[in-house]
């Protein structure tokens, strides 16, 4: 049975970090459990959001058979309540850490942070990580332009969908970050707006999106995707040249989408959250650290987009993204 449904959730409220783009130095507002400056934990409110999201995911139909998540602490912490409760109810779930679903950092002349290793994460999330899984795509540490981000997400989803098709997985959950989730919507549906800052696919904290497949590919082989940028991504066992060649062959725009294309049935729905829609986000041009003035510290991913307040009506002073 090929993959039919993709559930997508954004992580919950988190604490902030600062980056000095002239030196590439990241500093955290609060110390992260992993020790990474750009790897904060959820706030107390974010923990509440994750619990409420988990309760909704347990009722998902069709039920979730596999979980893929960014390896950043806030994403793992967001899916933890759902996965732990699923295990209690005899569902054999674990978390596949996929770096292709990781945070978007703007293009820079320095290396951005990476998620913590499995060795660091294992004691923080005991029994939850799939130790045998190897990520399908790894972003460049020098950051990405907007086109490169969409290319990376297209490559990730093309390979991830093909993997699920081969293994007979019907429904999966992805947990990721705002920019990546917006790119996911565009890549899955094939709908790329003319203006990058169009508010099309939404990304509220712990919001839930649902995508259903338009056409199951013959032979359970995922469709191809088109990439216009030159994002540098690698897959285990593939040379840079091989990865680049496959990357250029993808064609998803014009409504085509990856894996035969997908329909968006829920767009960051927050009806399960007590305070509703909070702290959405959208792109604001193809900004990068390369264009920023020197000698300033910038507040995490907020400098790469615009915070979008939802209809939740909750407190608005908890910090960006």
């Amino acid at each position: 049975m090929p993959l039919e449904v993709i559930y997508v959730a954004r992580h919950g409220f988190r604490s902030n970090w600062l980056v000095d783009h002239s030196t590439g130095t990241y500093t955290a507002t609060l110390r992260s459990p992993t020790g990474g400056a750009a790897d904060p934990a959820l706030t107390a409110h974010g923990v509440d959001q994750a619990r409420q999201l988990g309760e909704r995911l347990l009722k998902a139909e069709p039920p979730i058979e596999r979980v893929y998540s960014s390896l950043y602490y806030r994403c793992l912490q967001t899916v933890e309540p759902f996965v732990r409760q699923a295990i209690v109810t005899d569902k054999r779930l674990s978390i596949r850490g996929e770096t292709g679903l990781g945070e978007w950092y703007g293009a820079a002349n320095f290396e951005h942070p990476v998620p913590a290793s499995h060795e660091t994460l294992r004691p923080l999330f005991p029994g939850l990580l799939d130790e045998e899984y190897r990520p399908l795509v790894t972003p460049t540490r020098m950051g990405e332009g907007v086109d490169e981000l969409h290319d990376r997400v297209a490559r990730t989803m093309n390979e991830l969908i093909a993997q699920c098709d081969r293994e007979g997985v019907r429904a999966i959950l992805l947990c990721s970050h705002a920019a990546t989730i917006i790119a996911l919507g565009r890549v899955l549906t094939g709908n790329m707006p003319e203006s990058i800052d169009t508010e099309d696919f939404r990304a509220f904290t712990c919001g839930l999106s649902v995508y259903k497949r338009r056409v199951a590919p013959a032979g359970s082989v995922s469709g191809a995707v088109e990439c216009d940028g030159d994002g540098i991504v690698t897959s285990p066992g593939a040379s840079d040249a091989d990865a680049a060649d496959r990357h250029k062959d993808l064609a998803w725009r014009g409504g085509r989408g990856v894996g035969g294309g997908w329909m968006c049935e829920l767009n960051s729905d927050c009806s399960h959250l007590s305070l509703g829609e909070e702290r959405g986000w959208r792109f604001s041009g193809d900004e990068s650290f390369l264009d920023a003035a020197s000698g300033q510290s910038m507040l995490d991913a907020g400098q790469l987009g615009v915070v979008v307040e939802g209809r939740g009506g909750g407190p608005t002073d908890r910090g960006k993204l």
Side-chain angles (χ1 to χ4, degrees):
M1 178 181 293
L3 184 64
E4 296 178 6
V5 180
I6 299 175
Y7 301 99
V8 180
R10 185 183 170 201
H11 62 76
F13 258 98
R14 62 161 172 81
S15 56
N16 293 329
W17 69 76
L18 292 169
V19 55
D20 183 338
H21 56 269
S22 64
T23 63
T25 302
Y26 281 77
T27 55
T29 305
L30 299 173
R31 177 173 172 78
S32 165
T34 66
D39 197 18
L42 300 180
T43 63
H45 179 55
V47 171
D48 287 341
Q49 287 182 313
R51 176 182 51 78
Q52 293 165 8
L53 172 65
E55 291 171 356
R56 178 170 185 178
L57 294 174
L58 286 168
K59 302 172 185 176
E61 188 60 43
I64 295 164
E65 299 176 15
R66 182 172 290 176
V67 178
Y68 294 87
S69 176
S70 163
L71 278 166
Y72 282 99
Y73 189 88
R74 55 196 177 275
C75 288
L76 297 174
Q77 195 179 9
T78 296
V79 296
E80 180 179 18
F82 163 67
V83 176
R84 290 211 182 279
Q85 188 59 40
I87 292 173
V88 169
T89 57
D90 294 329
K91 291 183 180 179
R92 296 183 179 179
L93 286 182
S94 59
I95 302 173
R96 294 191 169 196
E98 178 52 61
T99 51
L101 297 175
E103 181 67 275
W104 175 48
Y105 296 107
N109 55 10
F110 54 81
E111 290 189 341
H112 291 291
V114 294
S117 66
H118 267 233
E119 288 71 26
T120 299
L121 292 170
R122 190 178 298 119
L124 298 172
F125 298 96
L128 290 189
L129 299 178
D130 185 331
E131 299 288 350
E132 297 182 358
Y133 181 75
R134 297 294 177 267
L136 299 169
V137 173
T138 302
T140 172
R141 290 198 63 181
M142 304 304 291
E144 304 160 301
V146 171
D147 282 341
E148 292 169 328
L149 167 66
H150 285 74
D151 290 350
R152 182 245 293 182
V153 172
R155 170 78 183 286
T156 300
M157 293 309 301
N158 192 61
E159 299 200 19
L160 190 153
I161 291 168
Q163 182 183 84
C164 292
D165 285 344
R166 290 192 302 269
E167 298 172 5
V169 177
R170 184 184 180 193
I172 62 174
L173 169 66
L174 311 180
C175 186
S176 188
H177 311 266
T180 309
I181 285 174
I182 294 170
L184 267 169
R186 294 169 176 177
V187 163
L188 290 172
T189 62
N191 296 326
M192 184 71 175
E194 291 185 9
S195 175
I196 200 67
D197 57 359
T198 297
E199 191 176 350
D200 45 5
F201 298 97
R202 311 178 85 186
F204 296 106
T205 49
C206 278
L208 179 66
S209 298
V210 179
Y211 295 89
K212 292 192 176 180
R213 205 168 198 163
R214 291 199 296 260
V215 179
S220 296
V221 177
S222 70
V225 247
E226 175 183 9
C227 302
D228 291 341
D230 295 314
I232 303 171
V233 292
T234 59
S235 273
S239 68
D240 289 344
D242 289 340
D245 286 343
R246 282 187 294 163
H247 198 40
K248 294 296 185 182
D249 289 338
L250 305 174
W252 58 268
R253 288 172 172 78
R256 184 170 179 176
V258 296
W262 302 73
M263 297 178 295
C264 180
E265 297 208 341
L266 278 182
N267 189 1
S268 199
D269 180 67
C270 296
S271 59
H272 53 285
L273 300 175
S274 60
L275 294 182
E277 297 174 351
E278 296 182 275
R279 288 301 164 96
W281 189 91
R282 66 173 174 80
F283 289 98
S284 179
D286 194 358
E287 301 176 43
S288 76
F289 291 89
L290 299 175
D291 298 327
S294 61
Q296 297 177 352
S297 289
M298 305 177 76
L299 186 62
D300 56 55
Q303 80 277 0
L304 295 176
V306 177
V307 174
V308 177
E309 295 297 348
R311 297 178 302 224
T316 59
D317 58 350
R318 294 192 182 95
K320 291 186 179 179
L321 303 185

